Amino acid sequence: MSQQSVPTPSVATEIWGQADVQESLAARDFGRLCHLVRVRSDLRQSDMAQITGLSQAFLSMLESGVRKLTNIDRIVQLLDGLDVPSELTGPMLRTPATQRPSRFHIA
């Protein structure tokens, strides 16, 4: 029997062209951003946690407004994990691609 591989969750690329998503980014409203991206990409919070490296509990609190994302390292981690186009974030909020850890592990 062949083992079926589970696809890695990902963000729908068309999300980044949507006005309210861009407004959330511009306002640095990361809770709203996470919610919009998650719902429109048909992802669960656990999927978001997997692709961003942030905990599901933290993402839940971020979306509900209980927590704010202010730590620059975590902001970069979120933006990198979601693969937000650098045109929308500016180069200061992104890790150069050569320094990003690979999300794919070869066994």
Side-chain angles (χ1 to χ4, degrees):
M1 285 180 85
S2 67
Q3 200 175 39
Q4 297 244 343
S5 63
V6 177
T8 303
S10 62
V11 175
T13 55
E14 63 272 9
I15 295 294
W16 307 118
Q18 298 174 359
D20 53 353
V21 171
Q22 291 182 6
E23 289 166 7
S24 296
L25 268 169
R28 304 294 186 241
D29 185 346
F30 298 111
R32 182 172 182 235
L33 174 70
C34 284
H35 178 76
L36 292 171
V37 168
R38 183 175 61 77
V39 170
R40 294 183 185 166
S41 295
D42 197 29
L43 297 171
R44 299 168 301 184
Q45 284 180 343
S46 59
D47 296 330
M48 293 282 283
Q50 181 182 347
I51 62 176
T52 65
L54 299 171
S55 75
Q56 181 274 324
F58 179 81
L59 290 167
S60 176
M61 290 185 286
L62 186 63
E63 282 190 26
S64 67
V66 172
R67 295 282 306 266
K68 297 286 183 204
L69 187 56
T70 58
N71 178 291
I72 189 68
D73 293 331
R74 281 188 151 185
I75 292 170
V76 170
Q77 182 178 354
L78 174 72
L79 298 176
D80 283 348
L82 297 178
D83 204 21
V84 179
S86 59
E87 308 86 70
L88 298 178
T89 63
M92 292 292 289
L93 291 179
R94 298 307 302 275
T95 302
T98 56
Q99 294 178 7
R100 290 185 200 159
S102 174
R103 285 191 234 158
F104 304 99
H105 300 288
I106 300 172

